[in-house]
Amino acid sequence: MLTTERHQFILSILKEQGTVKLQELVDQLQASESTIRRDLVQLEEMKHLKRVHGGASLLQRKGLEPTTMEKQNKAKAEKQLIAKLAASFIEKNDCIYLDAGTTTAEMIPYLKDKNITVLTNGLMHIPKLIELEIKTVLVGGTIKFSTNAVIGSNAVQFLNEYRFDKCFLGMNGIHQELGFTTPDPEEALLKKMALRLSNETYVLADSSKLNEATFAKVADVSDAIILTDSNDEEAVAQLQKNPKVKVVTI
């Protein structure tokens, strides 16, 4: 089979499935592993896909954001471990900013008995925080229904009245050159403000977000400590080549 035919086949599989395993392509195309790896490298260079551990996935569309329901069960085990790691950095009596998101939500069970104050724009966090009787301040602003987040200019203005020991942010894309990104410019502004007002900032993201870039930039990757899993060792290694970038893996 010609190279262009293999490339078309790989892309058609990705459009159907979203992800594909290396061994699956080897079996279906009856080609060597080295040939398929070379195909994936070439397609990644042409910005048609992203290589991940054991295969490849489609690149995210820049302005497309999954809903909370769609994200909730994706990489759930990794999110729980990342969240536990993130919570270990919190000390008693800290004032923290907890960003809306499914990974930051997993931190809440680990916040009990730390005697902290939480400020959040995540509506989905409120029932858990109330249940654990954690002192909480809810950001005021406009509700974004797809992600249950409070956003908008009022939210940014509200946030500017506070200062934090630590800030914990979710992110849709982490790219060594293009920085931390999210699809919604209004959410990007809120994340950027929270980062600026915090002594320390942590970005929580499973490895599927690495080497991705979405529509609106939040900050450079050197502006926060990245907490992720090591499922994509190559992407983690690329980030760690920059001495200014701090990455902690589970």
Side-chain angles (χ1 to χ4, degrees):
M1 185 181 289
L2 296 173
T3 300
T4 53
E5 292 176 321
R6 287 199 309 275
H7 286 186
Q8 288 172 358
F9 181 85
I10 291 168
L11 293 175
S12 68
I13 291 288
L14 280 173
K15 285 176 183 176
E16 288 178 15
Q17 301 177 182
T19 61
V20 66
K21 293 186 180 297
L22 178 66
Q23 191 57 51
E24 182 183 348
L25 293 173
V26 169
D27 294 341
Q28 292 194 39
L29 289 167
Q30 296 186 334
S32 67
E33 188 173 307
S34 60
T35 296
I36 300 301
R37 286 187 187 277
R38 187 165 58 249
D39 287 339
L40 295 181
V41 169
Q42 290 170 349
L43 288 167
E44 185 176 52
E45 289 172 349
M46 291 186 280
K47 301 189 184 301
H48 290 312
L49 55 75
K50 182 182 81 164
R51 286 182 297 146
V52 297
H53 183 67
S57 67
L58 281 178
L59 289 171
Q60 289 189 50
R61 292 171 64 185
K62 302 300 183 193
L64 183 65
E65 181 167 21
T67 65
T68 299
M69 290 295 291
E70 289 170 330
K71 292 187 285 187
Q72 206 154 30
N73 294 316
K74 185 179 178 183
K76 189 169 179 65
E78 287 85 352
K79 288 177 181 178
Q80 289 173 335
L81 291 172
I82 292 167
K84 185 177 182 180
L85 173 64
S88 72
F89 292 104
I90 298 173
E91 299 171 88
K92 282 198 172 185
N93 302 311
D94 271 348
C95 295
I96 72 166
Y97 179 77
L98 193 63
D99 194 18
T102 53
T103 308
T104 50
E106 297 289 352
M107 291 178 62
I108 297 173
Y110 304 106
L111 304 183
K112 190 178 180 181
D113 301 325
K114 286 184 179 281
N115 194 33
I116 63 172
T117 299
V118 174
L119 194 146
T120 184
N121 72 321
L123 296 175
M124 78 291 284
H125 299 340
I126 300 303
K128 295 179 184 177
L129 290 164
I130 291 172
E131 182 183 340
L132 296 176
E133 298 183 350
I134 295 170
K135 185 179 178 182
T136 301
V137 179
L138 178 62
V139 173
T142 303
I143 295 173
K144 181 178 176 180
F145 298 118
S146 61
T147 58
N148 292 321
V150 179
I151 60 169
S153 58
N154 288 339
V156 172
Q157 188 175 353
F158 183 99
L159 203 61
N160 195 38
E161 299 300 315
Y162 295 85
R163 303 295 182 269
F164 313 106
D165 294 300
K166 298 177 180 78
C167 169
F168 298 89
L169 300 177
M171 213 63 66
N172 293 76
I174 300 175
H175 192 282
Q176 56 184 337
E177 295 173 1
L178 304 177
F180 298 119
T181 54
T182 191
D184 188 332
E186 288 195 272
E187 282 203 74
L189 283 174
L190 200 64
K191 292 174 192 283
K192 188 179 295 186
M193 176 65 79
L195 187 153
R196 187 172 70 80
L197 298 175
S198 299
N199 292 339
E200 300 172 15
T201 299
Y202 299 84
V203 168
L204 288 64
D206 65 84
S207 58
S208 69
K209 312 292 177 56
L210 304 183
N211 276 342
E212 289 281 0
T214 55
F215 185 57
K217 182 177 178 180
V218 175
D220 294 327
V221 288
S222 57
D223 290 337
I225 298 169
I226 301 166
L227 307 180
T228 188
D229 59 76
S230 56
N231 288 341
D232 192 339
E233 294 177 358
E234 187 175 340
V236 171
Q238 285 179 348
L239 286 168
Q240 290 175 325
K241 284 180 182 178
N242 185 340
K244 294 182 180 180
V245 177
K246 296 179 182 177
V247 183
V248 182
T249 58
I250 54 173

